[in-house]
Amino acid sequence: MSASQPLGISLSQALPHPCLYHNLAGAIRMLTSMPLDLSQAIGFEYPEVPVSWTRRDLLIYSVGIGAKKDDFAFVYELDKSFAAFPTYPVVLSFKGTSEDVVDFLALASAGANTPQPPGLPTFDPNRMLHVSQSIENYKKLPVESGPGWKLTRKIIGVHENKVGIVVDSESILVDPKGVAYSRMTSSTFNVGAKATPGGKFSKAIGAAPKASKQVSKGRRPDYVVTEATLEEQALLYRLSGDYNALHMDPSVGKKAGLGGIILHGLSTFGFAARAILNAVGGGEPSALKTIGSRITSPVVPGETLETSIWEVGPGPNDTTEVAFETKDVKTGKVRLGGGIAYVTKKSIKAKL
């Protein structure tokens, strides 16, 4: 595995992107035969999204990413170290300010009222794949938001090849005073989308964090964390706001060619983040500063995951840079690849 491998695309194993509403506005437009100028989409800003959360939301999220009974900092609101798990902000684009079940189809349909980014063709939401995710935390998140928090969103990259178009997006979580707390990036691969006759274009004004060094081929990992997901894992994770039926109704998964229910890619992302935080950061809530990876294939709830972690050197601001990869133990298939994280190194938890 190469620690310097960028957060790229694995078309054959990528996940259906759940955040369909980001680009559904274009899905109601007719395609035209005229070439499009993809560069016009770079820097496009979506409308801001109000968001909020409570202590209960933090507890539910932690259980959704596999937190255990002794992970007191994340599962017990009266613990003196109680805190938001570092990856919690990734769910806020789904949850918004809702304190109830979110109608996913209505949420997707609402995207029709979102301005269409200039220069992009119409995208088929059924062929939209979520292929990478990252989060960088700047400040410690309060355990309750209160009013006035929001996500700002913009397009930071567009890349076209022979089989489709990749759109890179950036979201910033800001408080009522406009102070940034977290920066998130995600990439969607729109299969079959075309914009230019040659099918070649690539431009970006921002990117996800990238590894600084390669892991030598054959080098044994410094840490290996093995953990089983529950057969009910998707049922738990969806309570954080992503109520896509793909993760609940077997018939939806079968129609999508996935054989049945799959676990949310961002739940798998959270499992890897927990493995790294515990193994390298000693479980300290503030230790995980940055994490990013490719989402390379779907997890079936009940699978046992193995996260291999390599220390590769010093990271920014007195952190340790690590590379990681998460596999299904039974099949050996990579579920998360090309992973990178910056962690404030602490003592290792005895339970690991």
Side-chain angles (χ1 to χ4, degrees):
M1 181 197 128
S2 170
S4 64
Q5 188 174 8
L7 302 183
I9 304 304
S10 178
L11 173 59
S12 63
Q13 297 179 311
L15 292 177
H17 191 277
C19 208
L20 303 180
Y21 57 90
H22 282 186
N23 289 300
L24 269 179
I28 62 172
R29 290 187 170 187
M30 295 296 292
L31 287 169
T32 67
S33 59
M34 297 184 65
L36 296 170
D37 182 2
L38 293 174
S39 66
Q40 292 182 2
I42 307 296
F44 173 81
E45 297 185 1
Y46 292 97
E48 296 175 344
V49 177
V51 297
S52 65
W53 63 92
T54 65
R55 288 176 171 83
R56 185 172 183 271
D57 294 320
L58 302 185
L59 295 170
I60 291 171
Y61 174 78
S62 295
V63 174
I65 61 171
K68 300 298 184 285
K69 62 182 181 180
D70 54 350
D71 289 327
F72 290 112
F74 305 115
V75 300
Y76 185 37
E77 71 282 2
L78 298 182
D79 186 77
K80 63 181 181 180
S81 299
F82 181 63
F85 192 82
T87 55
Y88 175 73
V90 302
V91 305
L92 290 173
S93 62
F94 301 94
K95 179 187 178 298
T97 58
S98 175
E99 296 180 2
D100 199 352
V101 173
V102 176
D103 186 333
F104 187 82
L105 292 178
L107 185 66
S109 298
N113 298 319
T114 300
Q116 167 74 358
L120 291 182
T122 58
F123 293 142
D124 180 351
N126 294 315
R127 305 189 76 190
M128 189 180 295
L129 311 175
H130 187 187
V131 293
S132 73
Q133 181 70 46
S134 76
I135 179 170
E136 303 165 71
N137 291 314
Y138 303 139
K139 296 174 68 68
K140 183 179 179 180
L141 210 63
V143 294
E144 289 188 356
S145 64
W149 289 71
K150 61 190 176 183
L151 286 175
T152 65
R153 303 175 297 152
K154 70 178 180 180
I155 294 175
I156 59 171
V158 179
H159 318 275
E160 183 180 20
N161 57 36
K162 293 182 179 180
V163 290
I165 295 174
V166 178
V167 178
D168 304 325
S169 299
E170 174 189 82
S171 297
I172 307 291
L173 175 62
V174 298
D175 71 6
K177 296 181 180 180
V179 176
Y181 274 65
S182 301
R183 174 184 182 261
M184 292 159 278
T185 68
S186 64
S187 296
T188 58
F189 185 50
N190 299 278
V191 183
K194 296 293 181 184
T196 58
K200 291 183 179 180
F201 178 85
S202 184
K203 183 178 179 181
I205 57 173
K210 290 182 171 58
S212 64
K213 298 179 182 179
Q214 290 187 347
V215 172
S216 301
K217 186 176 181 179
R219 176 186 161 187
R220 295 173 63 87
D222 298 296
Y223 314 88
V224 177
V225 180
T226 302
E227 186 172 10
T229 62
L230 299 174
E231 292 186 359
E232 298 82 11
Q233 200 69 54
L235 278 64
L236 295 172
Y237 186 83
R238 69 195 298 267
L239 299 178
S240 285
D242 184 354
Y243 291 91
N244 189 342
L246 180 66
H247 308 294
M248 183 67 190
D249 187 340
S251 66
V252 175
K254 289 177 181 178
K255 288 179 181 178
L258 296 169
I261 294 172
I262 63 171
L263 184 60
H264 305 71
L266 291 180
S267 178
T268 307
F269 186 72
F271 267 80
R274 283 184 48 252
I276 295 166
L277 180 66
N278 287 335
V280 187
E284 171 62 36
S286 63
L288 184 61
K289 305 299 185 182
T290 294
I291 182 171
S293 75
R294 301 192 316 275
I295 302 173
T296 56
S297 64
V299 169
V300 176
E303 284 184 5
T304 297
L305 302 177
E306 180 181 271
T307 299
S308 299
I309 307 162
W310 295 262
E311 291 189 13
V312 298
N317 301 317
D318 298 319
T319 60
T320 296
E321 181 181 336
V322 303
F324 71 93
E325 183 178 77
T326 299
K327 295 181 178 181
D328 169 31
V329 169
K330 184 177 180 179
T331 65
K333 289 184 177 180
V334 176
R335 301 312 193 193
L336 301 176
I340 176 179
Y342 300 138
V343 191
T344 301
K345 193 173 179 181
K346 303 286 184 181
S347 60
I348 300 174
K349 273 192 171 181
K351 69 175 183 176
L352 294 175

